[in-house]
Amino acid sequence: MVSISIISLLLLCSAQGLITDENAAWEWFYEYSDEASTLYNRASKISWNYSTNITDYNEQKELEFSEVTKEFSLKVSANASLFDFENFSNSTLKKAFKYLADKGVAVLNDDEFKEYNKLALSLESTYGKATLCDKSGKELFLEPEMTEILATSRDPDRLLWIWKNWRDATGKRMRKDYLRFTELLNKASKANGYEDAGDDWRTGYNVDDPNYNFRDDLERLYRELKPFYKELHTYVKNKLKAFYGEDKFPPTGHIPAHLLGNMWAQTWVNIEEIVMPYAAAQTVNATPAISKLTVNRMFEMSDDFFASLGLNRVTDEFWANSMLEKPTDGRDVVCHASAWDFNDGKDFRIKQCTRRNMEDFVTVHHEMGHIQYYMQYAHLPISFRGGANPGFHEAVGDVLALSVATPEHLKKVDLIDQFSMTNESQINFMMSMALEKIVFLPFGKLMDDYRWAIFDGSITPDNLNAEWWKRRCTYQGISPPVTRTEDDFDPGAKYHIPANVPYVRYFVSFVLQFQFHKALCRAANHVGPLYKCDIYQSQEAGKLLGDMLKLGSSQEWPIALEAITGSKNISADPLVEYFQPLMDWLKEYNKEHGYSGDNWDDSCPTDLPEASSVESAECVVASAATHSTCALLLLLTMLLLVRSFK
Ligand code: LSW
Ligand code: ZN
């Protein structure tokens, strides 16, 4: 590293002890940024090659390069530690140095480091490669087949078959590896001076104020929003009972997890026809029009929206290098959508197995929001190329999608025919938004609540799956449709667990995005209720958002939040305001139907059908059987041949 010369020089001058000169620190910091950008550019390209083509060769390349990044991390940590950063006057420089002095998993010994990397790749590829085979031998992938069936089938047996077999093909197979993985992760965090890996993960939300406690803030938001979820849960449960029959529902008040239109029951938009308040009134459905677009056109429309706000268009490199559709050449890829920053100021990519429907059109905006953030803060040194906190990064695209999803906007861009807003169609529209936004909240919270409890030792290997279901039943009010045991590991069936992506960022985002939406709507001079606001073509809204994005993580998040909303606090009020008319309607409806107070027990139902009653869908069984049959036949033929030659 070139910068070592600066450091040795300064060290000589200061005789001994830590470097206190903050200007020297900035100088080293900028040099570090250039060197790290080059290195992480190479690392990301290797990682991209693996994710878009899972092969042993590409896995090997990743493992090899992890040795290079390990050496680099250790060198950077040693150099950063030469500075007296704890006493820096600039709080974000202090934070950046703290982060650079942290060795990450490079703190592990050689064998453990290798084991950690192998486990990480194997967990993600187990998830990425998992498929089911139906009776005719047809292979089903999570994307698109299983996702599509969960969303559209109303046959409970078929839903259950997918639901159970996906968990056998993913989580169950990674239980042991995940336990060892978290052990190593925790060990690294502790060696770096954290209480545990959860403490490590939460640093992204910390601020310099000793009175601020992120976990308390989360609990407050959750407490404020829970009554809304309960009201919606009650309503949906009763609609589903009417549709599927009481006998499918446990006496504990839970909703069986396979009936909600989504593999993880994290959003329920796909069952909207079943629960629509006014079946006769108009509903917004852009999917028919979107299904006639190309996937590229879906991304161009999102790009147009950003441009209409005066924000950046994506780069030529984006269009040249992204993977926007699932490859048809039979390659194994990690289909789960993500957005990538290659740290060279121009190469930004999305990898998504995009389907042409409204759900994926929203995901397109979500991922494009990440790309916009990457472009806006590309001028900053690498340590500041991040969201003000991780929740900010998740909120950008979703904020735009709140405008895009309004009937007013969809009409403007020809994705629906003329729409006349009546009171009834307004309630319908808000219901579909609530099935996405309010329903997500308990799930968004429980994912890390669960992992933090593994890290701090309150969940142990013998209750790994039971503790998962305890949270699913308590928070979400959903239940497993068949028995679960400690041979299963159901959290592993959700991408972010094997891929080790923290999740509370999405909970934070789902609250923040309504705060942003409200602030941007005000800047756009919107009049009327929040749920009708479309910020399309507002330069003022674009400027407000863009200026905040340009800060990256160079300022503490309350400052970024204040820049856009005028307040330093995360608040659930705008979310509550957005959905107020629906909530009033739901309370009234539930009261009229005698559903009030119809909640669910804290613990899961006990009398469940046996998991073994569901037919298996394992693909490998068939091929393993074929292999041994072939071997046997070959042996017999050889024996016969030998005999006939005698
Ligand atoms: C992201 N993907 O962009 C992640 C990738 N059809 O779906 O998971 O649970 C390395 C680092 C690799 C629309 C849709 C980080 C990956 C708005 C979903 C919050 C699946 C689309 C997945 C992270 C899109 C919830 N979103 C989820 C993702 C990664 C969610 C949404 C959501 C996305 C979350 O952040 N808002
Ligand atoms: Zn995201």
Side-chain angles (χ1 to χ4, degrees):
M1 195 184 274
V2 206
S3 40
I4 292 194
S5 55
I6 302 175
I7 292 171
S8 24
L9 199 81
L10 280 159
L11 263 186
L12 278 176
C13 299
S14 70
Q16 49 166 265
L18 299 173
I19 306 167
T20 52
D21 181 348
E22 234 167 293
N23 288 326
W26 278 108
E27 199 173 326
W28 177 79
F29 184 61
Y30 274 92
E31 279 185 54
Y32 154 77
S33 171
D34 289 344
E35 194 171 337
S37 299
T38 311
L39 186 86
Y40 290 130
N41 175 264
R42 286 170 62 206
S44 310
K45 282 178 177 159
I46 290 166
S47 193
W48 173 271
N49 289 346
Y50 175 70
S51 296
T52 57
N53 190 9
I54 310 176
T55 62
D56 290 343
Y57 177 82
N58 287 338
E59 174 178 322
Q60 201 48 45
K61 291 284 148 204
E62 265 224 78
L63 290 175
E64 278 167 26
F65 204 75
S66 66
E67 297 298 327
V68 180
T69 47
K70 177 186 180 174
E71 288 316 307
F72 184 74
S73 303
L74 293 177
K75 201 168 66 175
V76 168
S77 167
N79 285 343
S81 305
L82 297 174
F83 290 89
D84 187 21
F85 57 80
E86 290 289 356
N87 292 312
F88 282 175
S89 61
N90 183 306
S91 67
T92 46
L93 188 68
K94 176 169 150 185
K95 201 168 157 188
F97 266 73
K98 255 190 198 163
Y99 183 75
L100 294 179
D102 186 328
K103 300 185 179 75
V105 282
V107 76
L108 297 172
N109 72 39
D110 279 349
D111 287 345
E112 288 170 340
F113 181 78
K114 284 201 176 72
E115 190 187 1
Y116 174 89
N117 284 303
K118 272 218 162 100
L119 285 170
L121 289 178
S122 130
L123 285 165
E124 196 177 355
S125 76
T126 299
Y127 185 94
K129 286 185 185 171
T131 58
L132 308 185
C133 285
D134 71 11
K135 262 184 263 168
S136 63
K138 186 179 180 299
E139 195 175 17
L140 307 179
F141 292 81
L142 175 64
E143 300 185 40
E145 290 89 356
M146 290 181 232
T147 306
E148 196 68 39
I149 295 170
L150 256 298
T152 56
S153 170
R154 304 294 179 235
D155 170 358
D157 294 334
R158 185 151 173 76
L159 294 169
L160 178 57
W161 181 79
I162 304 248
W163 190 95
K164 191 255 178 189
N165 281 295
W166 173 249
R167 280 152 181 81
D168 283 352
T170 54
K172 198 173 194 165
R173 290 189 188 159
M174 54 178 86
R175 187 181 159 105
K176 254 186 80 199
D177 280 358
Y178 188 76
L179 275 169
R180 177 65 184 148
F181 180 78
T182 52
E183 210 177 333
L184 291 169
L185 194 67
N186 232 6
K187 189 170 182 182
S189 291
K190 287 178 183 171
N192 286 317
Y194 298 102
E195 267 170 43
D196 57 53
D199 183 31
D200 194 345
W201 282 10
R202 289 185 298 270
T203 54
Y205 300 90
N206 287 350
V207 295
D208 228 359
D209 176 2
N211 291 320
Y212 182 75
N213 181 306
F214 176 58
R215 295 187 87 161
D216 291 348
D217 220 11
L218 275 182
E219 292 306 323
R220 171 183 63 86
L221 294 169
Y222 190 67
R223 201 173 44 243
E224 286 172 21
L225 292 165
K226 190 157 190 191
F228 290 75
Y229 181 75
K230 279 189 174 166
E231 214 63 60
L232 190 56
H233 179 282
T234 299
Y235 170 81
V236 169
K237 180 174 67 188
N238 285 291
K239 284 280 180 183
L240 283 174
K241 277 186 176 175
F243 187 87
Y244 284 111
E246 289 265 357
D247 60 317
K248 289 269 178 299
F249 290 75
T252 48
H254 297 94
I255 306 176
H258 63 311
L259 303 179
L260 291 157
N262 175 280
M263 184 64 92
W264 311 275
Q266 65 180 57
T267 63
W268 305 345
V269 250
N270 291 315
I271 56 153
E272 64 179 340
E273 316 95 80
I274 302 180
V275 304
M276 232 3 132
Y278 298 103
Q282 266 191 300
T283 56
V284 196
N285 183 7
T287 292
I290 294 171
S291 73
K292 295 192 189 79
L293 305 173
T294 61
V295 163
N296 258 49
R297 186 71 201 124
M298 290 167 71
F299 281 86
E300 280 167 12
M301 287 180 76
S302 176
D303 196 46
D304 287 346
F305 199 110
F306 282 98
S308 90
L309 302 175
L311 293 169
N312 295 342
R313 284 196 178 276
V314 298
T315 61
D316 293 343
E317 286 80 358
F318 173 90
W319 296 113
N321 299 335
S322 288
M323 185 198 96
L324 304 180
E325 286 181 78
K326 183 172 176 172
T328 50
D329 58 9
R331 256 186 287 165
D332 276 319
V333 301
V334 178
C335 257
H336 188 96
S338 54
W340 298 53
D341 184 352
F342 290 79
N343 283 300
D344 68 354
K346 50 185 197 287
D347 194 353
F348 308 101
R349 308 179 197 173
I350 286 175
K351 173 179 67 59
Q352 185 176 343
C353 298
T354 317
R355 293 174 304 139
R356 294 175 300 165
N357 58 30
M358 186 60 189
E359 192 180 356
D360 274 32
F361 194 48
V362 171
T363 303
V364 165
H365 287 81
H366 176 86
E367 302 303 341
M368 289 289 268
H370 288 308
I371 301 287
Q372 185 66 218
Y373 221 151
Y374 298 154
M375 294 191 294
Q376 293 286 348
Y377 60 51
H379 63 287
L380 295 173
I382 195 164
S383 307
F384 296 149
R385 287 178 217 151
N389 75 34
F392 280 62
H393 228 302
E394 299 308 331
V396 179
D398 288 15
V399 170
L400 271 68
L402 286 178
S403 288
V404 172
T406 59
E408 289 80 1
H409 184 80
L410 292 172
K411 175 72 199 72
K412 270 182 224 164
V413 295
D414 275 336
L415 290 178
I416 54 169
D417 293 332
Q418 73 271 19
F419 195 86
S420 61
M421 263 294 187
T422 62
N423 281 341
E424 296 188 345
S425 59
Q426 257 160 31
I427 294 295
N428 279 352
F429 167 66
M430 245 181 288
M431 177 61 74
S432 71
M433 294 305 285
L435 293 171
E436 186 182 330
K437 302 296 181 183
I438 293 188
V439 160
F440 180 78
L441 297 168
F443 184 76
K445 179 151 184 305
L446 74 81
M447 281 277 285
D448 281 357
D449 188 81
Y450 176 76
R451 282 185 288 191
W452 295 344
I454 294 179
F455 297 144
D456 75 16
S458 49
I459 294 179
T460 52
D462 55 297
N463 59 16
L464 203 58
N465 208 41
E467 286 286 335
W468 168 254
W469 279 106
K470 190 169 123 193
R471 285 164 178 76
R472 295 271 269 169
C473 291
T474 313
Y475 287 123
Q476 284 187 281
I478 62 168
S479 57
V482 289
T483 51
R484 313 312 289 154
T485 70
E486 288 303 330
D487 284 333
D488 300 306
F489 178 57
D490 294 325
K494 172 71 191 167
Y495 174 76
H496 299 67
I497 303 280
N500 201 35
V501 181
Y503 210 82
V504 78
R505 56 184 59 178
Y506 301 109
F507 177 84
V508 171
S509 159
F510 273 53
V511 177
L512 271 182
Q513 61 189 252
F514 286 90
Q515 276 186 279
F516 293 170
H517 185 58
K518 183 171 177 169
L520 298 183
C521 290
R522 191 188 302 132
N525 289 320
H526 169 77
V527 281
L530 214 42
Y531 64 87
K532 277 177 172 258
C533 164
D534 171 18
I535 62 169
Y536 190 50
Q537 292 173 329
S538 165
Q539 304 297 303
E540 293 76 11
K543 173 92 171 56
L544 193 59
L545 181 60
D547 286 350
M548 190 274 283
L549 300 181
K550 283 181 186 57
L551 298 175
S553 58
S554 70
Q555 305 287 324
E556 294 199 317
W557 66 258
I559 300 195
L561 185 56
E562 188 178 31
I564 190 163
T565 66
S567 158
K568 284 189 168 168
N569 301 314
I570 307 188
S571 162
D573 294 349
L575 198 164
V576 170
E577 179 187 334
Y578 183 105
F579 287 109
Q580 199 59 60
L582 177 69
M583 284 308 134
D584 295 341
W585 184 89
L586 275 172
K587 274 190 194 140
E588 189 61 34
Y589 184 99
N590 286 340
K591 203 163 88 191
E592 255 172 43
H593 288 75
Y595 300 152
S596 299
D598 173 11
N599 293 322
W600 61 88
D601 296 354
D602 265 350
S603 34
C604 297
T606 43
D607 266 341
L608 293 168
E610 281 301 323
S612 57
S613 65
V614 182
E615 214 167 324
S616 156
E618 217 165 334
C619 299
V620 281
V621 169
S623 72
T626 325
H627 281 312
S628 44
T629 317
C630 281
L632 212 71
L633 277 173
L634 203 73
L635 205 76
L636 276 172
T637 322
M638 273 160 63
L639 274 174
L640 285 173
L641 276 173
V642 169
R643 289 189 60 152
S644 62
F645 276 124
K646 270 196 178 165

